[in-house]
Structure formats: C-alpha cells, structure tokens
C-alpha cells in the first residue's frame, strides 16, 4: 500500500502532465523546441519516479520536512517543489527562447547527470533499507548471546552515498538546472534557491541530527559532503 507522500507524488506527476498539454494548446507551444525539450525531460523524470516506486522506493523526505519545519512553510514548499517545472514552461511561453546548440547540450548534460545521480542513489538506498530490515529481522530471531554477531549499518556507505550524504537531492538539483536552461532565464533560479533553503537544507539538518546519535553515523557524517560532492 502506498504512503500518503507516494500518492502525492503520483497525483502531482499526473496533474503536471495534464497541465503541460493544456499549456501547449493554450500557449500554442507545439512549434517550440525548448518546450518539447522540457516536456521530454519532465516526462522522463516522472517515468523514473514511477519505476522507483515499483522497486520499493518510499518517498519519505517530504514527511521529514513537515516534522522538522513549520507546517505552513513546509506544505507551501512541497507544492513549489512539485510544480517547479511549470515555471520554466511559463517563461518559454512568454519569451519564446531560441536555444543555441550550447544551451541544448548543457541542458541535456545537466539532466542526464542529475538523472543518473538521483535514480542510482534512490535505488541503492532502497536496496540498503531492504537489506537493513532483513538483517534486523534475522537479528531479532537470534538468542541474545548471538545478537552481537550481526552489525547493522545506520547509513549506506557505498556508491554515491560514500561521496555525499544526499546524492538524490544533488541529482534533483541538476535536473532542475536542466529545466532552467531550457527556459533561457535566470528567474527560476530564485525558486530553486528557495527549495534548497527551505526544503532540502532543513531535511539535511534533521538527517544530521539523527546521525549524531550513533558513533558510526557521526563518522560517516564527518567524512562526506552534505549536498554537493566535495564542495558542500
């Protein structure tokens, strides 16, 4: 059974697809390469989300935000987060940008790099959680004198998670930057900055507080970047 957060993900993805088609029709964007590129990116983004859910991925990050931040701010930022791709589309409809080969290449590179980071890190985290739950189940079945033989890692420490503690956020940031390049405008950067400051940073702080409770988690926190690999 899907969680509330997962149902919201599916709802917003479907809503965005319908809104995209309405915008194409109302704004007569059928001949806009930038609009089609943005639609391609976001459709692929939505399909990746759907595939992750079939693999057992659970979207809990937004629930963490609601717990650690003001409920009104958190709810508003969640809506901004999921509706973000509409702002570049709106600007495309207004300005009708003509993307250069450089702009097209940069947008593709950002989207592909971000998709790799987000999808691989989320799938790896899903596998890690499944393994962790199974190890805990086995540990609970053992006699008390044998429980010490099984050590359960508090965090994933391989793959992209060995570089940054939130590779999924970093990947999503790159995807959004790809959306922004499609619009050929700096205005959506303001919204992206708001998402980072009011949605992702509070989630990172909440996660770090949990890591501090465990010596292994504290070691992991001290050896990895918060968000951007090797930089922050």
């Amino acid at each position: 059974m899907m969680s509330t957060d997962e149902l919201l993900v599916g709802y917003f993805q479907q809503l965005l697809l319908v809104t995209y088609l309405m915008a194409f029709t109302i704004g007569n964007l059928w001949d806009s390469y930038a609009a089609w590129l943005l639609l391609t990116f976001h459709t692929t983004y939505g399909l990746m989300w759907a595939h992750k859910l079939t693999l057992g991925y659970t979207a809990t990050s937004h629930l963490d935000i609601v717990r650690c931040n003001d409920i009104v701010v958190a709810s508003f930022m969640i809506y901004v987060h999921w509706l973000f791709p509409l702002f570049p589309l709106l600007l495309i409809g207004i300005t009708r940008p003509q993307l250069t080969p450089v702009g097209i290449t940069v947008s593709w590179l950002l989207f592909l790099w971000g998709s790799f980071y987000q999808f691989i890190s989320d799938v790896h985290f899903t596998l890690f959680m499944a393994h962790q739950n199974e190890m805990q189940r086995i540990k609970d079945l053992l006699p008390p004198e044998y429980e010490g033989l099984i050590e359960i890692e508090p965090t994933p420490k391989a793959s992209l998670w060995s570089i940054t503690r939130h590779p999924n956020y970093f990947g999503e940031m790159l995807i959004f930057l790809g959306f922004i390049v499609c619009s050929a405008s700096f205005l959506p950067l303001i919204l992206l900055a708001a998402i980072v400051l009011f949605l992702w940073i509070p989630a990172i702080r909440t996660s770090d507080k949990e890591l501090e409770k465990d010596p292994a988690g504290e070691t992991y926190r001290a050896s990895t970047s918060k968000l951007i690999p090797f930089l922050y």
Side-chain angles (χ1 to χ4, degrees), residues 39-59:
L39 178 61
T40 300
F41 287 167
H42 198 261
T43 301
T44 305
Y45 178 63
L47 290 174
M48 286 193 303
W49 261 100
H51 185 53
K52 284 190 298 184
L53 294 178
T54 64
L55 296 175
Y57 174 75
T58 55

Side-chain angles (χ1 to χ4, degrees), residues 5 15-16 33 50 56-57 94 109 144 165 182 185 200 202 209 217 224:
D5 209 37
L15 177 63
L16 282 172
Y33 182 83
Y57 174 75
I94 295 173
L109 289 176
R165 298 192 294 281
C182 288
S185 172
W200 293 344
K209 288 179 181 178
T224 52

Side-chain angles (χ1 to χ4, degrees), residues 78-135:
I78 289 171
Y79 279 103
V80 171
H81 176 261
W82 287 113
L83 295 175
F84 177 85
L86 292 180
F87 294 101
L89 184 65
L90 176 63
L91 290 172
I92 290 173
I94 295 173
T95 62
R96 302 282 175 157
Q98 298 296 321
L99 294 181
T100 64
V102 173
I104 294 172
T105 302
V106 170
S107 63
W108 269 109
L109 289 176
L110 286 170
F111 178 77
L112 293 175
W113 187 20
S115 298
F116 168 79
Y117 246 87
Q118 189 192 47
F119 185 79
I120 295 298
S121 60
D122 280 342
V123 170
H124 180 242
F125 186 77
T126 299
L127 296 175
F128 166 79
M129 290 302 297
H131 173 74
Q132 188 184 51
N133 292 337
E134 182 63 17
M135 294 300 291

Side-chain angles (χ1 to χ4, degrees), residues 174-211:
L174 293 177
I175 291 173
F176 283 0
L177 286 173
F179 292 168
I180 292 172
V181 173
C182 288
S183 70
S185 172
F186 291 104
L187 290 177
L189 282 174
I190 299 174
L191 288 176
L192 180 57
I195 291 172
V196 172
L197 291 175
F198 297 109
L199 199 62
W200 293 344
I201 295 300
I204 292 173
R205 289 173 179 168
T206 299
S207 175
D208 283 352
K209 288 179 181 178
E210 292 297 321
L211 290 175

Side-chain angles (χ1 to χ4, degrees), residues 30 41 73 151 207:
W30 303 104
F41 287 167
V73 174
E151 182 178 352
S207 175

